[in-house]
Amino acid sequence: MRVELTDFSVQIAGEKVNFNIAFNAIHGSPGEDGLLQGYFEMMGIPHTSCSAATASLTFNKAYTKRVLEGTVSMAKGIVLEKNMQDMDEKLSTFLSRVSYPLFVKPNNNGSSYGISKVHAFTELRKAIEEAFIYDSEVLIEEGIIGVEITCGVYTYQQQIHVLPLCLVSVSNHDFFNYTAKYTSGESDEIIPAPVDETVAEAVRSVSSRVYAQLHCKGVVRMDYIIRDAVPYFLEVNTVPGISSASIVPKMAQVAGMSLTEFFGRLLEEAWNGKGH
């Protein structure tokens, strides 16, 4: 079915139908990087995701980390740009300040495309080349060894709500990569996360602050590594998955909501947020 972009309409049985609101479930570009949000905002159409400005910012992992400095603990990192002349010098300086393992990832991407976990210098160049396939900027971060926790946050009736936390356990993979995320049985996702309540409260508290500081809307998912009871922020996903294998729908169900009720809350909040 073709969508007429001049007024966001479709033809059904020969009749023109205009949509009142958009439920955004598109990963990556254009649904998560601000392009689709910008279109909806120019057209005056309410939508369930973050604003174009927030989506554009958070799609860039390095920019997000700069904004959040002082708000949450984070791994040391460096951004390399394709064809930068002083790449080797900057990389050498960074490597002198960190220890392995390292994570190498495209700076602007999602779903764990192009991410590598590097255990030694001999593996680093290949990992950087792999990440450059997906983006012109590559983020290299020191690996934080600990437990992976993910947190869903959304707004309803103008209040920030945190969904039950999820502990991610990946036994067949070195980290939570694309296959582990989207293939049934490749990871264990335990909801609610079996962690000490002080740790859980720290994750809930910092996630609420991050959500507010980044001016998020709708439901987002934030990923952390817990080391020595401290949450280390990894990234924020402003359009998290809603497939049968996705984490956020499972969180909502553990919170006692059907997906119809949960998605209805997101639509209601988006509608009311536009002054309707």
Side-chain angles (χ1 to χ4, degrees):
M1 183 179 295
R2 182 180 181 276
V3 177
E4 176 54 57
L5 296 180
T6 58
D7 60 358
F8 196 51
S9 66
V10 296
Q11 292 285 333
I12 299 178
E15 294 188 11
K16 181 177 179 179
V17 176
N18 287 92
F19 296 98
N20 296 318
I21 191 169
F23 189 101
N24 183 12
I26 300 176
H27 290 306
S29 186
E32 200 170 0
D33 59 358
L35 296 179
L36 193 58
Q37 291 87 341
Y39 165 74
F40 287 140
E41 287 160 19
M42 286 190 297
M43 299 298 295
I45 298 168
H47 59 91
T48 57
S49 50
C50 297
S51 69
T54 294
S56 179
L57 168 70
T58 54
F59 201 66
N60 185 304
K61 297 176 178 66
Y63 285 171
T64 304
K65 292 184 68 172
R66 291 179 192 174
V67 171
L68 295 179
E69 285 181 1
T71 297
V72 60
S73 299
M74 293 177 283
K76 297 174 184 176
I78 185 175
V79 174
L80 303 179
E81 299 178 12
K82 187 176 288 188
N83 301 323
M84 66 188 306
Q85 295 186 357
D86 58 347
M87 181 186 301
D88 290 340
E89 179 183 345
K90 287 191 174 182
L91 184 57
S92 177
T93 300
F94 173 70
L95 293 176
S96 69
R97 301 190 295 110
V98 298
S99 57
Y100 291 91
L102 302 175
F103 281 93
V104 181
K105 61 188 74 173
N107 189 40
N108 300 273
N109 214 312
S111 296
S112 295
Y113 287 116
I115 296 183
S116 301
K117 186 177 182 179
V118 174
H119 297 275
F121 180 76
T122 53
E123 305 170 5
L124 186 56
R125 187 61 61 180
K126 181 179 179 181
I128 292 173
E129 292 174 355
E130 171 73 12
F132 272 134
I133 294 174
Y134 297 91
D135 191 19
S136 61
E137 296 179 335
V138 168
L139 175 63
I140 305 177
E141 294 179 312
E142 184 175 30
I144 305 296
I145 306 304
V147 176
E148 183 160 356
I149 296 290
T150 189
C151 178
V153 188
Y154 71 104
T155 304
Y156 180 59
Q157 296 181 342
Q158 300 183 340
Q159 297 293 319
I160 294 175
H161 297 266
V162 180
L163 292 166
L165 305 183
C166 173
L167 183 148
V168 178
S169 175
V170 185
S171 57
N172 298 325
H173 302 270
D174 204 14
F175 64 99
F176 197 37
N177 58 20
Y178 180 90
T179 302
K181 282 184 177 180
Y182 296 107
T183 304
S184 178
E186 292 295 315
S187 64
D188 292 323
E189 296 152 1
I190 305 171
I191 308 169
V195 296
D196 189 89
E197 178 56 25
T198 57
V199 172
E201 180 54 33
V203 173
R204 290 191 291 262
S205 177
V206 75
S207 296
S208 296
R209 293 201 305 273
V210 168
Y211 188 98
Q213 184 171 339
L214 295 176
H215 303 288
C216 293
K217 294 181 180 179
V219 63
V220 307
R221 199 192 77 236
M222 302 179 194
D223 300 334
Y224 301 88
I225 295 293
I226 309 299
R227 186 178 70 183
D228 299 330
V230 176
Y232 284 80
F233 175 85
L234 298 179
E235 64 178 1
V236 56
N237 303 273
T238 58
V239 185
I242 58 171
S243 71
S244 59
S246 300
I247 295 175
V248 166
K250 297 176 184 177
M251 291 175 166
Q253 291 173 325
V254 171
M257 289 179 282
S258 67
L259 293 188
T260 299
E261 179 184 358
F262 181 59
F263 295 158
R265 286 188 172 196
L266 302 181
L267 287 165
E268 179 183 334
E269 188 70 14
W271 184 259
N272 291 336
K274 295 297 290 186
H276 295 283

